[in-house]
Amino acid sequence: MVWPDRIPDVSRMCRSALIVVAVLLLLLSTGSIEAHAQSELKRPFQVGERLTYEVSWLNMTAAIAVMEVAQMAGPNDRSVAKLVGTAHSTPIITKFFPVDNRVESELDLESLAPDHMTFRRREGRKKEDIEYVFHQKEGMVTAVRGGATESLPIPAGTQDIISCLYYTRTVLPPNPGTSLKMNVYHDKKNRPVEVLVEAIETIEGAWGKAETVRVLVIMPFHGLFMNQGNIRVWVTNDDRKTPLRMKAKVVLGSIVADLVDGFPETASPKQEY
């Protein structure tokens, strides 16, 4: 049973469902963009990949989030992919606070840094469209929001909330004790993030049993989870580095995102008998 005075907690969590999953996924990196020659790295993701997550709170599924890689034509013959993330509230949550969000990011497949990101936010009665244009060589980002445009400085190799997932999946080594500090641009601010690789751990879920790398993500800012955003992520210990589970504590309980479709070969779905 959900008590009326808890509805704002559910609304806030569901309202950020896409960002929740994206931020949970992004924080897996244990190397810097300057420290790796991209040509020497094998990308663990391919065009056509589609990962579907159930986002739950207090044992109730609040949202379904999907992350996928689509093909697109890049300018000047550059290799570019379109990263698409969507989040929709489930029927029980929609009664109180409907959510229908969509994020698209254009990722340069050579540098694994974003060129352009749009966020179509539909939450309750609120409708908002956000656009970021990244000028990576110039160290600037142009943000368009609510009819206002401004340009802000960013560090080299800055990621957005979607592109960072695919960059970090490419450079993540499964070595406990490894740590990293990185920058993600979100909500018109540069966001410092620290990542710690904790351990190798076998977990079980809809995918069956899988060996994973457990990662602790430390985000020293407020907003997404109503507290400082320490998150744990379990990513498959294989070439695909697929995030299987994400968990973040909130004021009441925890938010958990579990992969329910798009299983890697090393984490096959359970068989029902």
Side-chain angles (χ1 to χ4, degrees):
M1 179 176 183
V2 180
W3 296 98
D5 62 347
R6 296 302 183 191
I7 293 303
D9 291 328
V10 180
S11 297
R12 185 187 293 263
M13 185 272 288
C14 188
R15 182 185 316 149
S16 302
L18 176 57
I19 301 176
V20 167
V21 172
V23 172
L24 287 169
L25 296 178
L26 74 87
L27 304 166
L28 303 176
S29 178
T30 52
S32 66
I33 197 166
E34 295 85 5
H36 296 271
Q38 300 299 336
S39 60
E40 299 176 357
L41 296 173
K42 180 181 178 181
R43 290 194 297 269
F45 59 91
Q46 298 178 353
V47 170
E49 180 185 75
R50 179 183 173 94
L51 304 175
T52 302
Y53 295 85
E54 285 188 355
V55 183
S56 61
W57 179 74
L58 295 180
N59 296 318
M60 174 180 61
T61 301
I64 302 297
V66 178
M67 309 286 291
E68 54 187 320
V69 183
Q71 194 165 14
M72 66 174 294
N76 302 320
D77 297 323
R78 288 194 300 121
S79 183
V80 179
K82 178 181 286 188
L83 313 176
V84 181
T86 60
H88 302 90
S89 52
T90 56
I92 189 172
I93 297 299
T94 298
K95 292 179 181 179
F96 303 103
F97 197 92
V99 173
D100 182 8
N101 289 342
R102 182 181 181 90
V103 176
E104 295 186 4
S105 177
E106 297 175 12
L107 180 71
D108 186 309
L109 291 176
E110 295 299 321
S111 66
L112 292 177
D115 293 333
H116 181 244
M117 191 200 83
T118 59
F119 189 176
R120 177 185 175 275
R121 177 180 289 170
R122 301 293 183 265
E123 302 165 350
R125 296 181 180 179
K126 183 176 183 179
K127 296 182 179 181
E128 184 178 37
D129 294 304
I130 304 169
E131 180 180 14
Y132 299 145
V133 180
F134 291 88
H135 310 280
Q136 297 284 356
K137 292 183 179 180
E138 293 79 11
M140 298 291 293
V141 60
T142 300
V144 181
R145 185 174 186 174
T149 301
E150 63 177 326
S151 295
L152 300 169
I154 55 173
T158 289
Q159 299 287 326
D160 64 39
I161 60 172
I162 301 292
S163 67
C164 48
L165 160 65
Y166 299 90
Y167 162 66
T168 56
R169 283 174 64 189
T170 304
V171 303
L172 174 68
N175 303 325
T178 305
S179 65
L180 166 76
K181 292 183 179 179
M182 65 180 296
N183 183 74
V184 176
Y185 185 81
H186 169 62
D187 199 20
K188 299 169 72 172
K189 290 184 180 180
N190 289 306
R191 305 287 188 173
V193 172
E194 183 178 1
V195 183
L196 303 173
V197 180
E198 292 187 313
I200 305 299
E201 181 178 351
T202 298
I203 64 171
E204 187 172 1
W207 52 82
K209 290 184 178 181
E211 183 180 275
T212 66
V213 181
R214 190 180 76 228
V215 178
L216 174 66
V217 182
I218 303 172
M219 298 186 297
F221 53 88
H222 296 257
L224 294 182
F225 302 105
M226 299 171 285
N227 66 340
Q228 289 190 342
N230 292 356
I231 304 169
R232 278 188 168 84
V233 185
W234 289 259
V235 56
T236 55
N237 190 17
D238 59 12
D239 291 340
R240 284 190 59 184
K241 302 177 182 177
T242 306
L244 296 180
R245 174 174 293 156
M246 294 77 71
K247 186 175 183 179
K249 292 184 178 180
V250 292
V251 174
L252 181 64
S254 299
I255 300 171
V256 180
D258 268 349
L259 184 71
V260 294
D261 194 25
F263 303 105
E265 293 180 0
T266 54
S268 300
K270 286 183 178 179
Q271 299 295 320
E272 300 293 340
Y273 298 98

PDB file of all heavy atoms in Angstrom, residues 139-167:
ATOM      1  N   GLY A 139      36.200  23.383 -26.010  1.00  0.00           N
ATOM      2  CA  GLY A 139      35.978  23.312 -24.573  1.00  0.00           C
ATOM      3  C   GLY A 139      34.763  24.090 -24.123  1.00  0.00           C
ATOM      4  O   GLY A 139      34.754  24.692 -23.041  1.00  0.00           O
ATOM      5  N   MET A 140      33.692  24.042 -24.951  1.00  0.00           N
ATOM      6  CA  MET A 140      32.466  24.788 -24.630  1.00  0.00           C
ATOM      7  C   MET A 140      31.248  23.923 -24.926  1.00  0.00           C
ATOM      8  O   MET A 140      31.291  23.022 -25.754  1.00  0.00           O
ATOM      9  CB  MET A 140      32.378  26.080 -25.456  1.00  0.00           C
ATOM     10  CG  MET A 140      33.491  27.076 -25.213  1.00  0.00           C
ATOM     11  SD  MET A 140      33.393  27.830 -23.571  1.00  0.00           S
ATOM     12  CE  MET A 140      31.879  28.788 -23.740  1.00  0.00           C
ATOM     13  N   VAL A 141      30.139  24.217 -24.235  1.00  0.00           N
ATOM     14  CA  VAL A 141      28.857  23.607 -24.541  1.00  0.00           C
ATOM     15  C   VAL A 141      27.819  24.716 -24.623  1.00  0.00           C
ATOM     16  O   VAL A 141      27.845  25.668 -23.828  1.00  0.00           O
ATOM     17  CB  VAL A 141      28.440  22.562 -23.478  1.00  0.00           C
ATOM     18  CG1 VAL A 141      28.318  23.183 -22.102  1.00  0.00           C
ATOM     19  CG2 VAL A 141      27.136  21.868 -23.880  1.00  0.00           C
ATOM     20  N   THR A 142      26.939  24.630 -25.617  1.00  0.00           N
ATOM     21  CA  THR A 142      25.832  25.582 -25.747  1.00  0.00           C
ATOM     22  C   THR A 142      24.558  24.905 -25.272  1.00  0.00           C
ATOM     23  O   THR A 142      24.197  23.841 -25.777  1.00  0.00           O
ATOM     24  CB  THR A 142      25.671  26.044 -27.207  1.00  0.00           C
ATOM     25  OG1 THR A 142      26.877  26.676 -27.631  1.00  0.00           O
ATOM     26  CG2 THR A 142      24.514  27.034 -27.328  1.00  0.00           C
ATOM     27  N   ALA A 143      23.896  25.522 -24.299  1.00  0.00           N
ATOM     28  CA  ALA A 143      22.670  24.965 -23.727  1.00  0.00           C
ATOM     29  C   ALA A 143      21.487  25.825 -24.135  1.00  0.00           C
ATOM     30  O   ALA A 143      21.523  27.052 -24.014  1.00  0.00           O
ATOM     31  CB  ALA A 143      22.779  24.906 -22.208  1.00  0.00           C
ATOM     32  N   VAL A 144      20.430  25.181 -24.633  1.00  0.00           N
ATOM     33  CA  VAL A 144      19.192  25.869 -25.001  1.00  0.00           C
ATOM     34  C   VAL A 144      18.075  25.282 -24.151  1.00  0.00           C
ATOM     35  O   VAL A 144      17.786  24.081 -24.220  1.00  0.00           O
ATOM     36  CB  VAL A 144      18.869  25.695 -26.495  1.00  0.00           C
ATOM     37  CG1 VAL A 144      17.586  26.433 -26.846  1.00  0.00           C
ATOM     38  CG2 VAL A 144      20.033  26.156 -27.353  1.00  0.00           C
ATOM     39  N   ARG A 145      17.437  26.136 -23.356  1.00  0.00           N
ATOM     40  CA  ARG A 145      16.410  25.659 -22.427  1.00  0.00           C
ATOM     41  C   ARG A 145      15.448  26.799 -22.127  1.00  0.00           C
ATOM     42  O   ARG A 145      15.868  27.888 -21.754  1.00  0.00           O
ATOM     43  CB  ARG A 145      17.072  25.169 -21.138  1.00  0.00           C
ATOM     44  CG  ARG A 145      16.141  24.551 -20.133  1.00  0.00           C
ATOM     45  CD  ARG A 145      16.949  23.981 -18.982  1.00  0.00           C
ATOM     46  NE  ARG A 145      16.111  23.259 -18.049  1.00  0.00           N
ATOM     47  CZ  ARG A 145      16.577  22.559 -17.018  1.00  0.00           C
ATOM     48  NH1 ARG A 145      17.892  22.502 -16.806  1.00  0.00           N
ATOM     49  NH2 ARG A 145      15.765  21.917 -16.207  1.00  0.00           N
ATOM     50  N   GLY A 146      14.162  26.534 -22.299  1.00  0.00           N
ATOM     51  CA  GLY A 146      13.160  27.543 -22.002  1.00  0.00           C
ATOM     52  C   GLY A 146      13.299  28.796 -22.829  1.00  0.00           C
ATOM     53  O   GLY A 146      12.995  29.899 -22.362  1.00  0.00           O
ATOM     54  N   GLY A 147      13.779  28.653 -24.060  1.00  0.00           N
ATOM     55  CA  GLY A 147      13.938  29.809 -24.940  1.00  0.00           C
ATOM     56  C   GLY A 147      15.215  30.588 -24.713  1.00  0.00           C
ATOM     57  O   GLY A 147      15.516  31.517 -25.457  1.00  0.00           O
ATOM     58  N   ALA A 148      15.992  30.241 -23.685  1.00  0.00           N
ATOM     59  CA  ALA A 148      17.243  30.932 -23.386  1.00  0.00           C
ATOM     60  C   ALA A 148      18.425  30.100 -23.856  1.00  0.00           C
ATOM     61  O   ALA A 148      18.418  28.877 -23.758  1.00  0.00           O
ATOM     62  CB  ALA A 148      17.357  31.198 -21.893  1.00  0.00           C
ATOM     63  N   THR A 149      19.456  30.795 -24.367  1.00  0.00           N
ATOM     64  CA  THR A 149      20.666  30.127 -24.849  1.00  0.00           C
ATOM     65  C   THR A 149      21.871  30.680 -24.120  1.00  0.00           C
ATOM     66  O   THR A 149      22.007  31.893 -23.941  1.00  0.00           O
ATOM     67  CB  THR A 149      20.842  30.353 -26.365  1.00  0.00           C
ATOM     68  OG1 THR A 149      19.700  29.848 -27.060  1.00  0.00           O
ATOM     69  CG2 THR A 149      22.089  29.647 -26.872  1.00  0.00           C
ATOM     70  N   GLU A 150      22.741  29.779 -23.672  1.00  0.00           N
ATOM     71  CA  GLU A 150      23.985  30.217 -23.047  1.00  0.00           C
ATOM     72  C   GLU A 150      25.086  29.218 -23.336  1.00  0.00           C
ATOM     73  O   GLU A 150      24.821  28.037 -23.553  1.00  0.00           O
ATOM     74  CB  GLU A 150      23.816  30.379 -21.534  1.00  0.00           C
ATOM     75  CG  GLU A 150      23.488  29.104 -20.783  1.00  0.00           C
ATOM     76  CD  GLU A 150      23.408  29.334 -19.288  1.00  0.00           C
ATOM     77  OE1 GLU A 150      24.156  30.169 -18.766  1.00  0.00           O
ATOM     78  OE2 GLU A 150      22.580  28.659 -18.634  1.00  0.00           O
ATOM     79  N   SER A 151      26.330  29.704 -23.356  1.00  0.00           N
ATOM     80  CA  SER A 151      27.496  28.862 -23.570  1.00  0.00           C
ATOM     81  C   SER A 151      28.336  28.830 -22.306  1.00  0.00           C
ATOM     82  O   SER A 151      28.555  29.864 -21.667  1.00  0.00           O
ATOM     83  CB  SER A 151      28.328  29.382 -24.744  1.00  0.00           C
ATOM     84  OG  SER A 151      27.603  29.273 -25.960  1.00  0.00           O
ATOM     85  N   LEU A 152      28.789  27.620 -21.949  1.00  0.00           N
ATOM     86  CA  LEU A 152      29.549  27.428 -20.718  1.00  0.00           C
ATOM     87  C   LEU A 152      30.788  26.590 -21.012  1.00  0.00           C
ATOM     88  O   LEU A 152      30.785  25.738 -21.898  1.00  0.00           O
ATOM     89  CB  LEU A 152      28.688  26.725 -19.669  1.00  0.00           C
ATOM     90  CG  LEU A 152      27.401  27.441 -19.252  1.00  0.00           C
ATOM     91  CD1 LEU A 152      26.533  26.511 -18.419  1.00  0.00           C
ATOM     92  CD2 LEU A 152      27.734  28.699 -18.465  1.00  0.00           C
ATOM     93  N   PRO A 153      31.878  26.817 -20.259  1.00  0.00           N
ATOM     94  CA  PRO A 153      33.091  26.015 -20.463  1.00  0.00           C
ATOM     95  C   PRO A 153      32.937  24.606 -19.910  1.00  0.00           C
ATOM     96  O   PRO A 153      32.238  24.390 -18.909  1.00  0.00           O
ATOM     97  CB  PRO A 153      34.159  26.795 -19.688  1.00  0.00           C
ATOM     98  CG  PRO A 153      33.403  27.545 -18.638  1.00  0.00           C
ATOM     99  CD  PRO A 153      32.076  27.887 -19.261  1.00  0.00           C
ATOM    100  N   ILE A 154      33.583  23.647 -20.572  1.00  0.00           N
ATOM    101  CA  ILE A 154      33.593  22.254 -20.110  1.00  0.00           C
ATOM    102  C   ILE A 154      35.014  21.704 -20.233  1.00  0.00           C
ATOM    103  O   ILE A 154      35.766  22.118 -21.112  1.00  0.00           O
ATOM    104  CB  ILE A 154      32.628  21.368 -20.923  1.00  0.00           C
ATOM    105  CG1 ILE A 154      32.931  21.459 -22.423  1.00  0.00           C
ATOM    106  CG2 ILE A 154      31.182  21.716 -20.620  1.00  0.00           C
ATOM    107  CD1 ILE A 154      32.133  20.495 -23.287  1.00  0.00           C
ATOM    108  N   PRO A 155      35.387  20.764 -19.360  1.00  0.00           N
ATOM    109  CA  PRO A 155      36.698  20.107 -19.502  1.00  0.00           C
ATOM    110  C   PRO A 155      36.731  19.219 -20.732  1.00  0.00           C
ATOM    111  O   PRO A 155      35.692  18.787 -21.237  1.00  0.00           O
ATOM    112  CB  PRO A 155      36.812  19.274 -18.217  1.00  0.00           C
ATOM    113  CG  PRO A 155      35.799  19.835 -17.268  1.00  0.00           C
ATOM    114  CD  PRO A 155      34.694  20.350 -18.134  1.00  0.00           C
ATOM    115  N   ALA A 156      37.923  18.926 -21.208  1.00  0.00           N
ATOM    116  CA  ALA A 156      38.087  18.038 -22.358  1.00  0.00           C
ATOM    117  C   ALA A 156      37.504  16.671 -22.048  1.00  0.00           C
ATOM    118  O   ALA A 156      37.652  16.147 -20.949  1.00  0.00           O
ATOM    119  CB  ALA A 156      39.567  17.917 -22.703  1.00  0.00           C
ATOM    120  N   GLY A 157      36.833  16.084 -23.034  1.00  0.00           N
ATOM    121  CA  GLY A 157      36.272  14.751 -22.869  1.00  0.00           C
ATOM    122  C   GLY A 157      35.006  14.690 -22.054  1.00  0.00           C
ATOM    123  O   GLY A 157      34.587  13.609 -21.634  1.00  0.00           O
ATOM    124  N   THR A 158      34.341  15.821 -21.829  1.00  0.00           N
ATOM    125  CA  THR A 158      33.095  15.835 -21.059  1.00  0.00           C
ATOM    126  C   THR A 158      32.026  14.998 -21.751  1.00  0.00           C
ATOM    127  O   THR A 158      31.875  15.030 -22.974  1.00  0.00           O
ATOM    128  CB  THR A 158      32.600  17.283 -20.875  1.00  0.00           C
ATOM    129  OG1 THR A 158      33.478  17.954 -19.966  1.00  0.00           O
ATOM    130  CG2 THR A 158      31.188  17.325 -20.312  1.00  0.00           C
ATOM    131  N   GLN A 159      31.275  14.267 -20.946  1.00  0.00           N
ATOM    132  CA  GLN A 159      30.207  13.410 -21.451  1.00  0.00           C
ATOM    133  C   GLN A 159      28.843  13.971 -21.050  1.00  0.00           C
ATOM    134  O   GLN A 159      28.738  14.798 -20.150  1.00  0.00           O
ATOM    135  CB  GLN A 159      30.356  12.000 -20.873  1.00  0.00           C
ATOM    136  CG  GLN A 159      31.653  11.314 -21.229  1.00  0.00           C
ATOM    137  CD  GLN A 159      31.700  10.880 -22.681  1.00  0.00           C
ATOM    138  OE1 GLN A 159      30.694  10.510 -23.266  1.00  0.00           O
ATOM    139  NE2 GLN A 159      32.893  10.884 -23.259  1.00  0.00           N
ATOM    140  N   ASP A 160      27.786  13.494 -21.735  1.00  0.00           N
ATOM    141  CA  ASP A 160      26.432  13.789 -21.280  1.00  0.00           C
ATOM    142  C   ASP A 160      25.888  12.560 -20.557  1.00  0.00           C
ATOM    143  O   ASP A 160      26.586  11.552 -20.412  1.00  0.00           O
ATOM    144  CB  ASP A 160      25.518  14.242 -22.433  1.00  0.00           C
ATOM    145  CG  ASP A 160      25.300  13.155 -23.489  1.00  0.00           C
ATOM    146  OD1 ASP A 160      25.162  11.971 -23.116  1.00  0.00           O
ATOM    147  OD2 ASP A 160      25.249  13.487 -24.693  1.00  0.00           O
ATOM    148  N   ILE A 161      24.629  12.631 -20.098  1.00  0.00           N
ATOM    149  CA  ILE A 161      24.106  11.563 -19.244  1.00  0.00           C
ATOM    150  C   ILE A 161      23.847  10.253 -19.971  1.00  0.00           C
ATOM    151  O   ILE A 161      23.633   9.226 -19.329  1.00  0.00           O
ATOM    152  CB  ILE A 161      22.807  12.014 -18.536  1.00  0.00           C
ATOM    153  CG1 ILE A 161      21.732  12.365 -19.556  1.00  0.00           C
ATOM    154  CG2 ILE A 161      23.096  13.152 -17.574  1.00  0.00           C
ATOM    155  CD1 ILE A 161      20.368  12.627 -18.946  1.00  0.00           C
ATOM    156  N   ILE A 162      23.884  10.266 -21.310  1.00  0.00           N
ATOM    157  CA  ILE A 162      23.707   9.037 -22.080  1.00  0.00           C
ATOM    158  C   ILE A 162      25.042   8.562 -22.656  1.00  0.00           C
ATOM    159  O   ILE A 162      25.417   7.399 -22.519  1.00  0.00           O
ATOM    160  CB  ILE A 162      22.702   9.244 -23.231  1.00  0.00           C
ATOM    161  CG1 ILE A 162      21.348   9.689 -22.679  1.00  0.00           C
ATOM    162  CG2 ILE A 162      22.556   7.970 -24.046  1.00  0.00           C
ATOM    163  CD1 ILE A 162      20.633   8.640 -21.884  1.00  0.00           C
ATOM    164  N   SER A 163      25.787   9.468 -23.276  1.00  0.00           N
ATOM    165  CA  SER A 163      27.012   9.069 -23.974  1.00  0.00           C
ATOM    166  C   SER A 163      28.039   8.466 -23.035  1.00  0.00           C
ATOM    167  O   SER A 163      28.811   7.578 -23.428  1.00  0.00           O
ATOM    168  CB  SER A 163      27.627  10.279 -24.685  1.00  0.00           C
ATOM    169  OG  SER A 163      28.098  11.239 -23.740  1.00  0.00           O
ATOM    170  N   CYS A 164      28.058   8.928 -21.776  1.00  0.00           N
ATOM    171  CA  CYS A 164      29.061   8.444 -20.839  1.00  0.00           C
ATOM    172  C   CYS A 164      28.947   6.938 -20.597  1.00  0.00           C
ATOM    173  O   CYS A 164      29.938   6.272 -20.326  1.00  0.00           O
ATOM    174  CB  CYS A 164      28.961   9.201 -19.535  1.00  0.00           C
ATOM    175  SG  CYS A 164      27.301   9.311 -18.922  1.00  0.00           S
ATOM    176  N   LEU A 165      27.732   6.407 -20.721  1.00  0.00           N
ATOM    177  CA  LEU A 165      27.560   4.965 -20.572  1.00  0.00           C
ATOM    178  C   LEU A 165      28.413   4.220 -21.579  1.00  0.00           C
ATOM    179  O   LEU A 165      29.163   3.292 -21.249  1.00  0.00           O
ATOM    180  CB  LEU A 165      26.092   4.588 -20.766  1.00  0.00           C
ATOM    181  CG  LEU A 165      25.823   3.119 -21.123  1.00  0.00           C
ATOM    182  CD1 LEU A 165      26.237   2.207 -19.980  1.00  0.00           C
ATOM    183  CD2 LEU A 165      24.382   2.910 -21.505  1.00  0.00           C
ATOM    184  N   TYR A 166      28.332   4.625 -22.827  1.00  0.00           N
ATOM    185  CA  TYR A 166      28.980   3.885 -23.895  1.00  0.00           C
ATOM    186  C   TYR A 166      30.484   4.128 -23.909  1.00  0.00           C
ATOM    187  O   TYR A 166      31.262   3.228 -24.243  1.00  0.00           O
ATOM    188  CB  TYR A 166      28.317   4.253 -25.223  1.00  0.00           C
ATOM    189  CG  TYR A 166      26.852   3.881 -25.195  1.00  0.00           C
ATOM    190  CD1 TYR A 166      25.883   4.775 -24.747  1.00  0.00           C
ATOM    191  CD2 TYR A 166      26.450   2.601 -25.557  1.00  0.00           C
ATOM    192  CE1 TYR A 166      24.550   4.412 -24.677  1.00  0.00           C
ATOM    193  CE2 TYR A 166      25.120   2.230 -25.494  1.00  0.00           C
ATOM    194  CZ  TYR A 166      24.171   3.138 -25.046  1.00  0.00           C
ATOM    195  OH  TYR A 166      22.853   2.770 -24.957  1.00  0.00           O
ATOM    196  N   TYR A 167      30.898   5.313 -23.528  1.00  0.00           N
ATOM    197  CA  TYR A 167      32.335   5.578 -23.365  1.00  0.00           C
ATOM    198  C   TYR A 167      32.912   4.698 -22.265  1.00  0.00           C
ATOM    199  O   TYR A 167      33.920   4.015 -22.438  1.00  0.00           O
ATOM    200  CB  TYR A 167      32.571   7.053 -23.045  1.00  0.00           C
ATOM    201  CG  TYR A 167      33.937   7.305 -22.453  1.00  0.00           C
ATOM    202  CD1 TYR A 167      35.096   7.105 -23.207  1.00  0.00           C
ATOM    203  CD2 TYR A 167      34.074   7.721 -21.132  1.00  0.00           C
ATOM    204  CE1 TYR A 167      36.350   7.312 -22.660  1.00  0.00           C
ATOM    205  CE2 TYR A 167      35.322   7.933 -20.585  1.00  0.00           C
ATOM    206  CZ  TYR A 167      36.458   7.729 -21.354  1.00  0.00           C
ATOM    207  OH  TYR A 167      37.697   7.936 -20.799  1.00  0.00           O
TER     208      TYR A 167
END
